[in-house]
Amino acid sequence: MVPIMYALLMLIVFGVINGERPAVVNIGAVLTYNSAIGRVAKAAIEAAVQDVNANETILNGTRLNLIMEDSSCSAFIGAVAALKVLNKEVITIIGPQSSTIAHILSYISGGFHIPLVSFAATDPSLSSLQYPYFIRMTQSDSYQMAAMANLIDFYEWKQVIAVFIDDDYGRNGIYALDDELTNKRLKISYKIAFPVGASRNKILELLQNSKAIGPRVYVVHASPDSGLEIFHAAQDLQMMADGFVWLATDWLSATLDTFELNKTHSLEYLQGVVGFRQYIPESQQKNAFESTWNRLHTRVSSSKLNTYGFYAYDTVWAVAYAINNFLDNSGNITFSLSNQIGDTRSHMRTDLIKTFDSGELLLQNLLRQNFSGLSGPILFGSNHSLISGNYEIINIYGSDIYTVGYWTNSVGLSFSFPDTSHTNRQRNFTASKALHNITWPGGMTKTPRGWIPSTRERPLRIGVPRRVSYLQFVNIFTNNHTVQGYCIDVFRMALKLLPYEVPHQFVPFGDGHITPKYWSLVNMVANNEIDALVGDISIVTNRTKLVDFTQPYVSTGLVIVVPTRSTKSSAWVFLRPFTVGMWCVIGAFFFIIGIVIWILEHRVNKDFRGSPKRQCLTMFLFSFSTLFHSEQEETLSTLGRFVMMVWFFLLMVVTSSYTASLTSFLTVQQLQSPINGIDSLIATNDPIGYQEGSFSWSYMANSLKIPKSRLISLRTPDDYEEALLRGPKNGGVVAIVDELPYIEIFLATKNGFGIVGQPFTRSGWGFAFRRNSPLAIDISRAILKLAENGDLQQIHKKWFCVNNCNIHRAENSKPNQLHLNSFWGLFMLCASVTIAALLIFLLRAIRQFIRYKKAKSDASSITSCTKTIYNFFDFIDEKEEAVKKIFKQQQCSSQPEAS
């Protein structure tokens, strides 16, 4: 007997060494038999092994021997089952369907160089980098979560609530969804993690807590065996009604495809649910397999074929093709003992489990597979996962399940499944902009808003600061706790424009003696202690990092207020519009113009002749009477009229400027302070006042670097007035820095103060909400409508324009004085014209004098220079008419002599 056994052993060894195919190859499978996926997968794997063994062309005479163990949905039992399978020298393990068990089995199989091919472990964290011998024969949840994020973004929902099973499969799937939503600026606002095997009461408790949260979009990522309990609990809590949105990953379609139940009964609590199903393209192979499933149906009890059954069937064929390629390449199936894993002291002798010597070669053959299976094209990527990423989008309504669209990794959302020939081209965004009509929970066909700001059971908690001054903005009555004011009216009017009701309650903050610090109220919103903050809240940078603000309903900025004085009581105020130099130049021109006009008119105008006293008086009165256009003397000479024309134009400009400047001196208040802007305020060392609780303190201390010791806190407008009147030398302040709306009220009630300079910050007031609150967006739109239709202005007039809306702005007196620099061009023009006219007159007079001299004297006579000058002045003093008469007589007397 011993020689026979020895001979058989030598024959087997000789056959292996010479490359002969083994008669049997062991493959293992670790499944959870009593599960929705396991029951179908077990039958599909067994059917696939039978079909492979029945087809002699696949392995060329070698048969597959399937060794299957039950993991009982336990990671520990699954690990023990895997060791049992490995102990029987399998070269591949199929399964498991649980991602949690797959993590452990990937460690074990990798240690023994045995490829682990899972048809249902969709956990995205099962990476080939961490588990080099793990192969995913299905679609990763990373594809599905990208599809889910695309669907959420398509319907413009900003926040969702994630409901998931608290294991590796559930947590890692939601992590992937969170990443995809973040890329689209969306977020998971609340997570409901229920334990594996959670009771109905536990699920009810977790869902009940989520009803207090604003979002109404639920994403359910559970297992097919326990996920339906979530919808049962939601129906009990009346959460399958109008306004709710329920989205489910592909576990729901796998459950509905597996169990053959009465549709009217089983789908009653799933009305309006939208889910995903892994897309299986139609093919002859698929139709043939579905037709033969009926004979397998009795072995799988009430289970029907689902998508994971197709993947399980294709997994066996992929393993068979890989083994055939492995054997064709003279791959020898040999094992060797390894001490990498093992403990001889334990009850299970893992040190006796052998390592597959050619595991790496078989792994590469598996990854190179490229064929068409029941589930579609079988092709693996560099991450050892199936390349696909195609899903159907289903909608449950009535007693049917409708396909409302598709999602592919290359195109996105679309009405119909896109042509695969275009999968590598640029995405067709036009085709991915819509889906078929969906019926939502409650029978609604209109897309739900996806969130509610509040309910009557839990109204929106709105914080309101209890101010001690400037009650026009926010005023809280202690006796009846009512709230009113400009900010409150704007908020209430904005709420009326929303297309939905927002139950709310105002929560006052502050003791009524000190205005609360606004940054602490903003932090309360950020820390979810209150839902919103309404009041005179400035929108500044550090606050926008914590909360979301609405569109500003008031434009504001920091301004400077100083004491002012009026110049109305001054006796010499009429001299202030012009500087001393300007007055001197104007006076000089009056005398010059008077002299020049006298010179030009003296020879031709009798009004400018007479005794020397009369001529001096005429010259003086004429010059100044031109200021009022009341001169009695008329200019007759052409040159005189030309000079007067330019002189009148100069007077018109100067008198108009003087009138405007004098008006401003008599009406505009003037400064008592040397401060004329923020630069001069910073340059001083005097105290500066600010409103208690305002952000102006942090701006001046942190941004402008003003020493904190200079900043004096003030509460009320009376404190403002007292501090400004006392001044910096008497314990007061040199100026007050505050926001423009407060200063407008202060100036409307207090006299003797004004604004200097321009606002040196630009900001606004808004309402603060939690980060990513959709209500902030809707309120912003409502504020814009209020501004467009004029309601915002009407509210402003109601509170601030009872008497007047004018702002008292103080100006420095020096810039209002008119300097010579502003008019030197005009004076230069007038002087040039005057000098030119005077020169023309003199040249003309000299010409006439020479002619006159020739007529009166002999050519041989010699006259002294002094006498000639005296004679010239005497000539000019003569009337031009008499001179012309002499010339005419001389001309008449010379004509007879010539004849």
Coordinates of all heavy atoms in Angstrom, one line a residue, residues 31-83:
L31 N -19.2 34.4 2.8 CA -20.4 35.2 2.6 C -21.2 35.1 3.9 O -21.0 34.3 4.8 CB -21.2 34.6 1.5 CG -20.6 34.4 0.1 CD1 -21.5 33.7 -0.8 CD2 -20.2 35.8 -0.5
T32 N -22.2 36.0 4.0 CA -23.2 36.0 5.0 C -24.4 35.4 4.4 O -25.1 36.0 3.6 CB -23.5 37.4 5.6 OG1 -22.3 37.9 6.2 CG2 -24.5 37.3 6.7
Y33 N -24.6 34.1 4.7 CA -25.7 33.4 4.0 C -27.1 34.0 4.2 O -27.9 34.2 3.3 CB -25.7 31.9 4.5 CG -24.5 31.1 4.1 CD1 -24.2 29.9 4.7 CD2 -23.6 31.6 3.1 CE1 -23.1 29.2 4.4 CE2 -22.5 30.8 2.8 CZ -22.2 29.6 3.4 OH -21.1 28.9 3.1
N34 N -27.3 34.4 5.5 CA -28.7 34.9 5.8 C -28.7 36.4 5.7 O -28.8 37.1 6.7 CB -29.0 34.4 7.3 CG -30.5 34.7 7.6 OD1 -31.3 34.9 6.7 ND2 -30.8 34.9 8.9
S35 N -28.5 36.9 4.5 CA -28.6 38.3 4.3 C -29.2 38.5 2.9 O -29.2 37.6 2.1 CB -27.2 39.0 4.4 OG -26.4 38.5 3.3
A36 N -29.7 39.7 2.6 CA -30.3 40.0 1.3 C -29.3 39.8 0.2 O -29.7 39.2 -0.8 CB -30.8 41.5 1.4
I37 N -28.1 40.3 0.3 CA -27.1 40.1 -0.7 C -26.5 38.7 -0.7 O -26.3 38.1 -1.8 CB -26.0 41.2 -0.6 CG1 -26.6 42.6 -0.8 CG2 -24.9 41.0 -1.6 CD1 -25.6 43.7 -0.6
G38 N -26.3 38.2 0.5 CA -25.6 36.9 0.6 C -26.5 35.7 0.0 O -25.9 34.8 -0.6
R39 N -27.8 35.8 0.2 CA -28.6 34.7 -0.3 C -28.5 34.7 -1.9 O -28.4 33.6 -2.5 CB -30.0 34.9 0.1 CG -30.3 34.4 1.6 CD -31.8 34.4 1.9 NE -32.3 35.8 1.9 CZ -32.4 36.5 3.0 NH1 -31.9 36.1 4.1 NH2 -32.9 37.7 2.9
V40 N -28.6 35.8 -2.5 CA -28.6 35.9 -3.9 C -27.2 35.6 -4.4 O -27.0 34.8 -5.4 CB -29.0 37.3 -4.4 CG1 -28.9 37.4 -5.9 CG2 -30.4 37.6 -4.0
A41 N -26.1 36.1 -3.8 CA -24.8 35.9 -4.2 C -24.4 34.5 -4.1 O -23.6 33.9 -5.0 CB -23.8 36.8 -3.4
K42 N -24.8 33.8 -3.0 CA -24.4 32.4 -2.9 C -25.0 31.5 -4.0 O -24.2 30.7 -4.6 CB -25.0 31.9 -1.5 CG -24.7 30.4 -1.2 CD -25.2 30.1 0.2 CE -24.8 28.6 0.5 NZ -25.5 27.6 -0.3
A43 N -26.2 31.8 -4.4 CA -26.8 31.0 -5.5 C -26.1 31.4 -6.8 O -25.8 30.5 -7.7 CB -28.3 31.3 -5.6
A44 N -25.8 32.7 -7.0 CA -25.2 33.1 -8.2 C -23.7 32.5 -8.4 O -23.3 32.1 -9.5 CB -25.1 34.6 -8.3
I45 N -23.0 32.5 -7.3 CA -21.6 31.9 -7.3 C -21.7 30.4 -7.6 O -20.9 29.9 -8.4 CB -20.9 32.2 -6.0 CG1 -20.7 33.7 -5.8 CG2 -19.6 31.4 -5.9 CD1 -20.1 34.1 -4.5
E46 N -22.6 29.8 -7.0 CA -22.7 28.3 -7.2 C -23.1 28.0 -8.7 O -22.5 27.1 -9.3 CB -23.7 27.7 -6.3 CG -23.3 27.7 -4.8 CD -24.4 27.2 -3.9 OE1 -25.5 27.2 -4.3 OE2 -24.1 26.9 -2.7
A47 N -24.0 28.9 -9.2 CA -24.4 28.7 -10.6 C -23.2 29.0 -11.5 O -23.0 28.3 -12.6 CB -25.6 29.6 -10.9
A48 N -22.4 30.0 -11.2 CA -21.3 30.4 -12.1 C -20.2 29.3 -12.1 O -19.6 28.9 -13.1 CB -20.7 31.7 -11.6
V49 N -20.0 28.7 -10.9 CA -19.0 27.5 -10.8 C -19.5 26.4 -11.6 O -18.7 25.7 -12.4 CB -18.8 27.1 -9.3 CG1 -17.9 25.9 -9.2 CG2 -18.1 28.3 -8.6
Q50 N -20.8 26.1 -11.6 CA -21.3 25.0 -12.4 C -21.1 25.3 -13.9 O -20.8 24.4 -14.7 CB -22.8 24.8 -12.0 CG -23.0 24.2 -10.7 CD -24.5 24.0 -10.4 OE1 -25.3 24.2 -11.3 NE2 -24.8 23.6 -9.2
D51 N -21.4 26.6 -14.3 CA -21.3 26.9 -15.7 C -19.9 26.9 -16.2 O -19.6 26.4 -17.3 CB -21.9 28.3 -15.9 CG -23.4 28.4 -15.7 OD1 -24.0 27.3 -15.7 OD2 -23.9 29.5 -15.6
V52 N -18.9 27.3 -15.3 CA -17.5 27.2 -15.7 C -17.1 25.8 -15.8 O -16.4 25.4 -16.8 CB -16.7 28.0 -14.6 CG1 -15.2 27.7 -14.9 CG2 -16.9 29.5 -14.7
N53 N -17.4 24.9 -14.9 CA -17.0 23.5 -14.9 C -17.7 22.8 -16.1 O -17.1 21.9 -16.6 CB -17.3 22.8 -13.6 CG -16.4 23.3 -12.5 OD1 -15.3 23.8 -12.7 ND2 -16.9 23.2 -11.3
A54 N -18.9 23.3 -16.5 CA -19.6 22.6 -17.6 C -19.0 23.0 -18.9 O -19.2 22.3 -19.9 CB -21.1 23.0 -17.6
N55 N -18.2 24.1 -19.0 CA -17.6 24.6 -20.2 C -16.2 24.2 -20.2 O -15.3 24.8 -19.5 CB -17.8 26.1 -20.3 CG -17.4 26.7 -21.7 OD1 -16.7 26.0 -22.5 ND2 -17.9 27.9 -22.0
E56 N -15.8 23.2 -21.0 CA -14.5 22.6 -21.0 C -13.5 23.6 -21.6 O -12.3 23.4 -21.5 CB -14.5 21.3 -21.6 CG -15.3 20.2 -20.9 CD -15.2 18.9 -21.6 OE1 -14.6 18.8 -22.7 OE2 -15.8 17.9 -21.1
T57 N -14.0 24.6 -22.4 CA -13.0 25.5 -23.1 C -12.5 26.5 -22.1 O -11.5 27.3 -22.5 CB -13.7 26.1 -24.3 OG1 -14.8 26.9 -23.8 CG2 -14.3 25.1 -25.2
I58 N -13.0 26.7 -21.0 CA -12.6 27.7 -20.1 C -11.3 27.4 -19.4 O -10.3 28.1 -19.5 CB -13.7 28.1 -19.0 CG1 -15.0 28.5 -19.7 CG2 -13.2 29.2 -18.1 CD1 -14.8 29.7 -20.6
L59 N -11.2 26.2 -18.7 CA -10.1 25.8 -18.0 C -9.4 24.6 -18.6 O -8.4 24.1 -18.0 CB -10.4 25.5 -16.5 CG -10.8 26.7 -15.7 CD1 -11.3 26.3 -14.3 CD2 -9.7 27.7 -15.5
N60 N -9.9 24.2 -19.7 CA -9.2 23.1 -20.5 C -9.1 21.8 -19.6 O -8.0 21.3 -19.4 CB -7.8 23.5 -21.0 CG -7.9 24.6 -22.0 OD1 -8.9 24.7 -22.8 ND2 -7.0 25.6 -21.9
G61 N -10.2 21.5 -19.0 CA -10.2 20.2 -18.2 C -10.0 20.4 -16.7 O -10.3 19.5 -15.9
T62 N -9.5 21.5 -16.3 CA -9.4 21.8 -14.8 C -10.7 22.2 -14.3 O -11.4 23.0 -14.9 CB -8.3 22.9 -14.6 OG1 -7.1 22.4 -15.1 CG2 -8.2 23.1 -13.1
R63 N -11.0 21.7 -13.1 CA -12.3 22.1 -12.5 C -12.1 23.0 -11.3 O -11.1 22.9 -10.6 CB -13.1 20.8 -12.0 CG -13.4 19.9 -13.2 CD -14.1 18.6 -12.6 NE -15.4 18.9 -12.1 CZ -15.7 19.0 -10.8 NH1 -14.7 18.7 -9.9 NH2 -16.9 19.3 -10.3
L64 N -13.1 23.8 -11.1 CA -13.1 24.7 -9.9 C -13.8 24.0 -8.7 O -14.9 23.4 -8.9 CB -13.8 26.0 -10.1 CG -13.2 27.0 -11.2 CD1 -14.0 28.2 -11.3 CD2 -11.8 27.3 -10.8
N65 N -13.1 24.0 -7.6 CA -13.7 23.4 -6.4 C -14.0 24.6 -5.4 O -13.1 25.2 -4.9 CB -12.7 22.4 -5.7 CG -13.3 21.8 -4.5 OD1 -14.5 21.6 -4.4 ND2 -12.5 21.5 -3.5
L66 N -15.3 24.9 -5.2 CA -15.7 26.0 -4.4 C -15.8 25.6 -2.9 O -16.5 24.6 -2.6 CB -17.1 26.5 -4.9 CG -17.7 27.6 -4.1 CD1 -16.8 28.9 -4.2 CD2 -19.1 27.9 -4.6
I67 N -15.0 26.3 -2.1 CA -15.1 26.0 -0.7 C -15.7 27.3 0.0 O -15.1 28.4 -0.1 CB -13.7 25.8 -0.1 CG1 -13.0 24.6 -0.8 CG2 -13.7 25.6 1.4 CD1 -11.6 24.4 -0.5
M68 N -16.8 27.2 0.5 CA -17.6 28.4 1.0 C -17.8 28.3 2.5 O -18.1 27.2 3.1 CB -19.0 28.4 0.3 CG -19.7 29.7 0.4 SD -21.2 29.8 -0.6 CE -20.6 29.6 -2.2
E69 N -17.7 29.4 3.2 CA -17.9 29.5 4.6 C -18.8 30.7 4.9 O -18.8 31.7 4.2 CB -16.6 29.7 5.3 CG -15.7 28.5 5.3 CD -16.2 27.4 6.2 OE1 -17.0 27.6 7.1 OE2 -15.7 26.2 6.0
D70 N -19.6 30.6 6.0 CA -20.5 31.6 6.4 C -19.9 32.6 7.4 O -19.3 32.1 8.5 CB -21.8 31.0 7.0 CG -22.8 32.0 7.3 OD1 -22.7 33.2 7.0 OD2 -23.9 31.6 7.9
S71 N -19.9 33.9 7.2 CA -19.3 34.8 8.1 C -20.3 35.3 9.1 O -19.9 36.0 10.1 CB -18.8 36.1 7.3 OG -19.9 36.7 6.7
S72 N -21.6 35.0 8.9 CA -22.7 35.3 9.9 C -22.7 36.8 10.2 O -23.0 37.2 11.3 CB -22.5 34.5 11.2 OG -22.6 33.1 10.9
C73 N -22.3 37.7 9.3 CA -22.3 39.1 9.4 C -21.5 39.6 10.6 O -21.9 40.5 11.3 CB -23.7 39.6 9.5 SG -23.9 41.4 9.1
S74 N -20.4 38.8 10.9 CA -19.6 39.2 12.1 C -18.1 39.2 11.6 O -17.7 38.3 10.9 CB -19.7 38.1 13.2 OG -18.7 38.3 14.1
A75 N -17.4 40.3 12.0 CA -16.0 40.4 11.6 C -15.2 39.3 12.2 O -14.3 38.8 11.5 CB -15.5 41.8 12.0
F76 N -15.4 38.9 13.4 CA -14.7 37.9 14.0 C -14.9 36.5 13.4 O -14.0 35.8 13.0 CB -15.0 37.8 15.5 CG -14.3 36.7 16.2 CD1 -13.0 36.7 16.5 CD2 -15.0 35.5 16.6 CE1 -12.3 35.6 17.2 CE2 -14.4 34.5 17.2 CZ -13.1 34.5 17.5
I77 N -16.2 36.2 13.2 CA -16.5 34.9 12.6 C -16.0 34.9 11.1 O -15.6 33.9 10.6 CB -18.0 34.6 12.7 CG1 -18.5 34.5 14.1 CG2 -18.4 33.4 11.9 CD1 -20.0 34.4 14.3
G78 N -16.1 36.0 10.5 CA -15.6 36.1 9.1 C -14.1 35.9 9.0 O -13.6 35.2 8.1
A79 N -13.4 36.4 10.0 CA -11.9 36.1 10.0 C -11.6 34.7 10.2 O -10.7 34.1 9.6 CB -11.3 37.0 11.1
V80 N -12.4 34.0 11.1 CA -12.2 32.6 11.4 C -12.6 31.8 10.1 O -11.9 30.8 9.7 CB -13.1 32.1 12.6 CG1 -13.0 30.6 12.7 CG2 -12.6 32.8 13.8
A81 N -13.6 32.2 9.5 CA -14.1 31.5 8.2 C -13.0 31.6 7.2 O -12.7 30.7 6.4 CB -15.4 32.0 7.7
A82 N -12.4 32.8 7.0 CA -11.3 33.0 6.0 C -10.1 32.1 6.3 O -9.5 31.5 5.4 CB -10.9 34.5 6.0
L83 N -9.8 32.0 7.6 CA -8.6 31.1 7.9 C -9.0 29.6 7.6 O -8.1 28.9 7.2 CB -8.3 31.3 9.4 CG -7.7 32.6 9.8 CD1 -7.5 32.7 11.3 CD2 -6.4 32.9 9.1

